[in-house]
Amino acid sequence: MAKPTDPKSWSISTIVEPDGPACFAFADSDLDVAAASPVEQLLAAVGSCFGQSCIAMMRYHAWPVLAVELVVKGHKPAGPLIGKGLDTLEIFAHFCGAISVERQQRLLADAKKVCTVTNSLSSAIMITVKTVETAPAL
């Protein structure tokens, strides 16, 4: 039987610009995305996709397009770390410019509906793992 452990948490910060790539900072280290742990990369994907979804919704509504700062936190419950996924994911958003509270709430609700990464995480996605002789073509 696996030894129980304390809960584990990860956090990333990202800024998504209207016409630029997302920039990341990791709470536990000064790593770039390529050197980040798999969980940190997952949180970076959430931040990037959710931020791009916010920007897409600003454009859809023909509102001023602002940069979005996000902090994404993932938490694992106490217990064995191996084989357990995150049990909570929190996204904190800050819009870099003047925008009403009502528009902020609308953008976050709309972004949650269209964000591919968070929708994948919250659905019953089927994952298959297979062995192959050669790498599959893209």
Side-chain angles (χ1 to χ4, degrees), residues 87-138:
D87 68 342
T88 59
L89 188 65
E90 299 174 291
I91 303 171
F92 302 89
H94 169 74
F95 295 94
C96 303
I99 183 171
S100 71
V101 172
E102 293 80 16
R103 281 191 178 180
Q104 289 179 49
Q105 291 171 343
R106 174 73 186 267
L107 283 171
L108 294 177
D110 289 350
K112 190 169 187 281
K113 289 177 188 173
V114 301
C115 177
T116 303
V117 174
T118 57
N119 287 336
S120 295
L121 290 172
S122 63
S123 70
I125 187 170
M126 182 187 301
I127 299 173
T128 59
V129 180
K130 301 175 183 180
T131 183
V132 295
E133 294 295 321
T134 60
L138 295 178

Side-chain angles (χ1 to χ4, degrees), residues 25-70:
F26 299 94
D28 295 334
S29 63
D30 294 328
L31 299 175
D32 61 26
V33 175
S37 74
V39 174
E40 290 171 321
Q41 290 180 21
L42 175 69
L43 297 181
V46 168
S48 178
C49 189
F50 198 87
Q52 290 296 334
S53 296
C54 288
I55 288 171
M57 290 297 96
M58 285 182 247
R59 288 187 173 125
Y60 174 81
H61 292 295
W63 294 341
V65 181
L66 308 170
V68 183
E69 292 181 44
L70 299 144

Side-chain angles (χ1 to χ4, degrees), residues 1-10 75-85 87:
M1 182 171 211
K3 180 178 154 185
T5 61
D6 293 329
K8 175 79 173 142
S9 295
W10 293 263
H75 309 280
K76 215 176 227 193
L81 290 179
I82 303 215
K84 297 282 185 180
D87 68 342

